Amino acid sequence: MGALEYPRRSSLELCYNGVNASGDFSDEMESFSYEDVASGEADAIEITVNNQSGRWLDRYMPEQGDYVEAEIAVENWDREGDNRRLSCGKFELDSFRAEGFPQTVSIRGITTPILTDFNVTAKNRIYSNTTAKMILSDICAGAGISLVYEAEDYTVEEAEQSGQTDMSFSFSLCSAHNLAMKLYNNKMVVYDQTNYEKKEPCYAIDRSEMQKYTYSLERTNLYDSVQIQYADPSSDETLTYSYTVPGESGRRKLFLNEQADSYRDAEIIAKSRLLENIRNAASISFTVRGDTKHMSARNVEITGLGKADGIYFIDRVTHSKSAKGVYTCAVKAHLCVTHTEFSVPKVQEAKAAGTTYTVVKGDCLWNIAKKFYGSGAKYTVIYNANKGIIKNPSLIYPGQVLTIPPG
């Protein structure tokens, strides 16, 4: 009797340009899907409706700047009174397709700011002596979106945006620094991928709950070490940086063709690329009954698959509702990788104005700046504060007492 009195129910709530349009859409809904992506792509939504009346080619045909906000709501989902909501976010409409016969209309929206050149215009520019956060802040300001940064602010001595849109360049910059980037609700959210994969799983899913699944193990991506070359800034000599996963033999080495500008840069790029490959090695895709708890960038414990059991990081979730109201989730995840730490120090700042340092044999401004600020590229800060002593920034002498200003 209780099951009849409190039936399980899922619904989709939509606002079109800020006006509630749930009824208009639900009456003629053919299908709905929401792509929730952890990193590398923008979230997207697609709605297909019956257009027998023809009004979707008239009243609701999108114009430039139109947007949709969507929420998925469930009632009595796992038990009586279990009512939850999932905010999918705000989507600017970028695609409209009408077909016949039968007459249908498909409307697609994405979380990128389509009224700017963020994901359209290829640009060429160079960023120097800055940080990842500062670069991304500048890009967000130009796109009219806010930045949420949940990671260490890595120093960037030089980064070239060559024939890339701001969106693709931002993704590549994050990828090279073990950062994930998600576009959501007029925000760019950047987070440390490894730190997220260390979190406790939010819930568990057993094989018995899966409508179908595919587990994949690609051993060609299971590298246990990495090697990259970098330039010694004090001598211009080309050096080699190598890293081996703790406890491994180092026989399966990933050789990178990328060039790093310093030891610090080499460590970040090498470990980031190594982790990227390992994360692609063991993955699982499965379809389950729909639920608002399934979200990207969460960890889930997989059970019932024998040696494939473990803690997985959710890369993508596709929430789908059919015309008959059937709600399912297709989940794609990879086995969490937590064995590699980044020993990159945080930027150190001089404690107060007037801090001094006495030059010793073998010193150069680059190394002194690296000692105090964590970045050799900040040598100009020291040079500008000591122009009365230093005539040429390439020439300093033992015994000179330099003022080290706050970074």
Side-chain angles (χ1 to χ4, degrees):
M1 182 174 178
L4 294 175
E5 188 176 354
Y6 302 103
R8 176 185 295 150
R9 179 175 178 270
S10 67
S11 60
L12 176 65
E13 299 184 9
L14 295 168
C15 283
Y16 196 107
N17 292 337
V19 178
N20 190 322
S22 300
D24 293 331
F25 279 93
S26 61
D27 291 344
E28 298 169 339
M29 183 82 68
E30 293 285 336
S31 65
F32 163 83
S33 68
Y34 162 49
E35 294 275 350
D36 174 18
V37 187
S39 184
E41 298 177 30
D43 287 359
I45 192 173
E46 184 161 346
I47 307 164
T48 300
V49 294
N50 184 299
N51 190 37
Q52 193 66 33
S53 66
R55 64 175 176 165
W56 296 93
L57 277 169
D58 186 12
R59 178 183 171 190
Y60 282 127
M61 187 170 181
E63 297 180 357
Q64 185 171 334
D66 283 4
Y67 65 90
V68 167
E69 296 167 284
E71 282 193 346
I72 300 172
V74 296
E75 300 175 28
N76 306 311
W77 205 241
D78 285 334
R79 62 190 179 281
E80 179 186 328
D82 179 24
N83 303 329
R84 290 177 274 128
R85 306 174 74 86
L86 172 63
S87 174
C88 306
K90 180 179 179 180
F91 301 82
E92 299 193 35
L93 301 182
D94 76 326
S95 175
F96 177 88
R97 186 177 70 253
E99 296 180 335
F101 296 94
Q103 295 194 75
T104 60
V105 160
S106 294
I107 302 171
R108 182 176 183 273
I110 56 176
T111 53
T112 56
I114 61 177
L115 294 183
T116 70
D117 62 1
F118 179 71
N119 66 326
V120 176
T121 305
K123 300 178 181 179
N124 296 287
R125 54 185 174 182
I126 296 176
Y127 295 91
S128 301
N129 304 331
T130 182
T131 69
K133 184 177 180 180
M134 290 177 66
I135 294 174
L136 296 172
S137 295
D138 179 60
I139 290 174
C140 286
I145 59 178
S146 58
L147 174 66
V148 179
Y149 196 92
E150 301 178 353
E152 179 179 335
D153 189 11
Y154 290 105
T155 298
V156 177
E157 294 176 11
E158 184 172 293
E160 182 177 3
Q161 181 176 354
S162 179
Q164 297 171 284
T165 65
D166 284 343
M167 186 169 81
S168 63
F169 174 69
S170 298
F171 277 128
S172 63
L173 177 71
C174 289
S175 174
H177 291 79
N178 191 44
L179 301 173
M181 180 188 124
K182 182 177 179 65
L183 296 167
Y184 174 78
N185 227 15
N186 288 329
K187 298 183 184 70
M188 177 190 289
V189 181
V190 176
Y191 57 93
D192 186 296
Q193 180 86 33
T194 298
N195 285 347
Y196 267 55
E197 294 191 22
K198 289 180 179 179
K199 293 182 178 182
E200 292 296 316
C202 296
Y203 52 91
I205 293 180
D206 189 73
R207 184 182 63 176
S208 61
E209 301 174 63
M210 301 176 187
Q211 298 172 7
K212 59 180 179 179
Y213 74 89
T214 300
Y215 171 76
S216 176
L217 178 61
E218 302 290 341
R219 294 192 179 278
T220 54
N221 288 322
L222 284 175
Y223 296 100
D224 64 1
S225 55
V226 63
Q227 181 174 303
I228 188 174
Q229 291 187 326
Y230 69 97
D232 183 343
S234 62
S235 65
D236 289 331
E237 182 183 0
T238 299
L239 304 176
T240 298
Y241 172 86
S242 295
Y243 169 77
T244 300
V245 173
E248 298 293 337
S249 65
R251 287 179 293 184
R252 288 189 54 79
K253 183 168 290 185
L254 172 65
F255 292 93
L256 298 178
N257 291 323
E258 300 177 63
Q259 185 73 29
D261 297 322
S262 65
Y263 179 92
R264 177 188 176 96
D265 196 31
E267 179 191 6
I268 297 169
I269 294 175
K271 289 182 176 178
S272 297
R273 297 304 185 213
L274 176 65
L275 289 173
E276 191 176 282
N277 275 272
I278 298 175
R279 287 174 183 140
N280 289 328
S283 62
I284 186 169
S285 299
F286 57 88
T287 302
V288 291
R289 188 193 76 194
D291 201 318
T292 57
K293 70 182 180 183
H294 302 307
M295 300 171 64
S296 68
R298 281 185 166 182
N299 293 337
V300 58
E301 182 179 7
I302 300 297
T303 61
L305 289 175
K307 292 184 178 180
D309 287 357
I311 310 301
Y312 287 74
F313 178 85
I314 298 178
D315 297 301
R316 177 190 299 267
V317 182
T318 304
H319 295 262
S320 302
K321 278 180 66 69
S322 69
K324 295 182 178 180
V326 178
Y327 175 27
T328 60
C329 285
V331 180
K332 183 178 180 181
H334 69 262
L335 190 65
C336 289
V337 184
T338 60
H339 52 52
T340 294
E341 298 286 344
F342 284 70
S343 61
V344 182
K346 293 179 184 263
V347 175
Q348 299 176 358
E349 294 186 355
K351 293 183 179 179
T355 296
T356 60
Y357 174 78
T358 302
V359 177
V360 298
K361 185 177 180 180
D363 271 341
C364 64
L365 286 185
W366 185 282
N367 288 341
I368 296 172
K370 199 166 188 177
K371 174 183 178 69
F372 282 93
Y373 306 125
S375 171
K378 287 193 171 185
Y379 76 92
T380 54
V381 175
I382 301 175
Y383 171 64
N384 290 332
N386 294 275
K387 286 186 176 180
I389 300 174
I390 304 172
K391 304 304 180 186
N392 183 335
S394 298
L395 297 174
I396 59 175
Y397 303 97
Q400 287 180 315
V401 180
L402 306 180
T403 297
I404 309 296

